[in-house]
Amino acid sequence: KQWYQRRVRGSNKKVGAWLLLCCGVVGGIVVVGGITRLTQSGLSITEWKPLIGTLPPTTHEKWVEEFERYKQFPEYKRLNQNMTLAEFKRIYFWEYSHRLLGRAIGVIFLFPFLYYLKKGYINRNLSLKMAGVFLLGGSQGLLGWYMVKSGLDEKNIDQREGIPRVSQYRLAAHLGSAFVIYCALWWLALDLLTNKKPLNLNVSGNELAKTIKTIKTLRFGAPLISGLVFITALSGAFVAGLDAGLIYNTFPYMGGKLIPSDIIDNKIKPKFRNMFENAVTVQFEHRVLAITTFSSILTLYALARGRGGWKGLPKSVRVLSTSLFGVACVQVGLGITTLLTFVPTPIASAHQMGSLTLLTVALWFLHAIRRIPK
């Protein structure tokens, strides 16, 4: 029995470490995708070739051919008519890197999955979950191309004030799906690496009662905060899709008011679509969600520290709670800086990376709370 338990722990660590690697690659794809959007590179590759598109142009003639193909589409015609071949290569690099990483994660996930499945390291229940993650990952390629196509179609662009950019709805779906894949991989890795071992309390008497009260508060708040972080990050996709970060570059006011006067555009029908199609409304929503998320994290942290049960919590829970608050502070600072400095690529990319980091810590914190016996 002991030999079997050691074997299970060993296999769990191997599979868990592999899932962490997959998490890192997915995180890298998200970051590179953000840079691709920020550098206006997402429409540089105008075809989708899942297999033969793995290799970039290798000769000057092929580069010219690719550039000429790009010239046939709205982004070049309306925005980049003075672009040189060298400039085209720079934007091509980011979109190509994003697609290449997307193909790489498929290989990094599939072959180890089949190997560990054959070795018996993955049980039926876990294999079904991983198969679901793989299928969702495979659909990302299709969803990504569906998003890109929206920026290549003249009719779609005319409906978006003539600006060549992808649909914010499809962008949000693409990013949201990536975040779901990342969260699933991270959660499964935590399950395997911790073996779901309970986190026991080392207190008794009055201290135990206080600690239990604190745990109940954390157990209630942790999933709510994880959800808020996810929704706030998703709202950021609408901000990016509408370039809403390039207006009202002041904080906390928007045009000298907490609620801007043009938050509702009467030309948008029905009016609720302002929530997704009016750049002013979208930025306002992102601000409100960000402030709500930060306030919730601050409140939960203050309650955990101020009810007398803090010292009785497992060390990992205390560390994660403090880390969650610290990362939230950094993320708020990055968000405000991004806005005030008119969305420079390095800071905006760091802000997107911060959202993924905050979600990572929030889920880790939630996982740790669930390991404390009720």
Side-chain angles (χ1 to χ4, degrees):
K1 184 178 179 180
Q2 290 179 347
W3 172 85
Y4 177 74
Q5 290 175 340
R6 286 197 299 269
R7 184 177 183 275
V8 170
R9 285 196 296 269
S11 62
N12 283 353
K13 286 183 179 179
K14 290 178 181 178
V15 176
W18 159 63
L19 288 177
L20 284 183
L21 172 63
C22 292
C23 260
V25 177
V26 172
I29 293 172
V30 171
V31 172
V32 172
I35 296 174
T36 302
R37 175 75 187 101
L38 289 163
T39 55
Q40 306 296 320
S41 305
L43 301 176
S44 57
I45 301 178
T46 57
E47 294 179 316
W48 188 49
K49 300 176 179 178
L51 296 178
I52 62 175
T54 302
L55 296 176
T58 53
T59 65
H60 177 73
E61 290 74 19
K62 289 184 178 180
W63 273 113
V64 170
E65 181 182 342
E66 192 71 29
F67 190 27
E68 290 300 319
R69 186 178 296 113
Y70 171 71
K71 289 180 179 180
Q72 298 172 21
F73 290 90
E75 185 173 71
Y76 177 83
K77 294 177 180 178
R78 302 192 186 198
L79 297 179
N80 295 331
Q81 288 191 0
N82 295 322
M83 176 176 279
T84 64
L85 180 60
E87 291 170 334
F88 172 71
K89 287 181 179 181
R90 283 197 289 272
I91 65 171
Y92 187 97
F93 167 79
W94 286 113
E95 175 64 9
Y96 173 76
S97 299
H98 186 55
R99 295 191 184 196
L100 186 64
L101 280 172
R103 293 181 174 95
I105 187 58
V107 175
I108 293 169
F109 186 92
L110 179 60
F111 290 104
F113 171 62
L114 295 176
Y115 172 77
Y116 287 134
L117 195 61
K118 184 178 179 181
K119 294 281 287 185
Y121 289 178
I122 301 174
N123 60 37
R124 177 178 172 79
N125 183 45
L126 183 58
S127 68
L128 290 174
K129 293 177 181 177
M130 290 185 175
V133 172
F134 179 74
L135 290 175
L136 185 59
S139 70
Q140 271 290 76
L142 287 169
L143 186 55
W145 175 241
Y146 180 63
M147 176 190 70
V148 170
K149 280 186 68 178
S150 66
L152 301 175
D153 191 322
E154 290 277 6
K155 294 180 181 178
N156 289 335
I157 292 169
D158 288 336
Q159 294 173 2
R160 292 193 290 274
E161 301 176 350
I163 302 173
R165 60 189 178 203
V166 300
S167 162
Q168 69 272 25
Y169 293 104
R170 301 184 192 185
L171 176 61
H174 190 47
L175 179 66
S177 181
F179 270 53
V180 168
I181 292 168
Y182 178 89
C183 291
L185 291 170
W186 177 232
W187 192 267
L188 291 174
L190 288 174
D191 277 350
L192 292 168
L193 294 173
T194 61
N195 287 314
K196 297 183 180 179
K197 184 179 179 181
L199 293 173
N200 296 316
L201 307 177
N202 297 314
V203 291
S204 59
N206 292 333
E207 289 296 321
L208 178 59
K210 293 178 181 178
T211 301
I212 290 174
K213 189 175 181 180
T214 300
I215 290 170
K216 288 181 178 179
T217 301
L218 297 179
R219 189 172 279 129
F220 175 79
L224 296 178
I225 284 174
S226 296
L228 276 171
V229 173
F230 184 88
I231 293 170
T232 304
L234 198 60
S235 77
F238 284 91
V239 173
L242 292 171
D243 290 325
L246 297 175
I247 59 174
Y248 289 121
N249 298 95
T250 56
F251 188 85
Y253 297 107
M254 299 176 70
K257 301 177 181 179
L258 287 175
I259 302 177
S261 56
D262 52 349
I263 194 170
I264 298 295
D265 184 348
N266 292 319
K267 294 180 181 179
I268 298 177
K269 303 290 185 180
K271 289 186 178 181
F272 77 85
R273 288 173 55 187
N274 277 271
M275 298 173 61
F276 310 106
E277 299 178 10
N278 183 350
V280 176
T281 314
V282 165
Q283 191 197 112
F284 178 77
E285 290 166 355
H286 191 60
R287 290 184 184 218
V288 171
L289 282 168
I291 293 170
T292 302
T293 302
F294 178 74
S295 300
S296 299
I297 293 172
L298 173 61
T299 300
L300 192 66
Y301 185 61
L303 289 173
R305 295 295 303 252
R307 289 191 167 184
W310 176 257
K311 291 183 179 180
L313 294 173
K315 182 179 178 181
S316 59
V317 172
R318 285 184 276 128
V319 170
L320 286 168
S321 179
T322 303
S323 300
L324 182 63
F325 174 65
V327 174
C329 290
V330 173
Q331 178 65 349
V332 168
L334 284 170
I336 294 172
T337 304
T338 300
L339 182 68
L340 298 181
T341 54
F342 293 85
V343 198
T345 298
I347 299 175
S349 180
H351 183 49
Q352 184 178 43
M353 194 183 306
S355 69
L356 196 61
T357 304
L358 186 60
L359 184 59
T360 302
V361 179
L363 287 174
W364 197 353
F365 177 61
L366 173 60
H367 192 274
I369 289 295
R370 289 166 62 94
R371 288 169 59 201
I372 300 176
K374 292 185 179 180

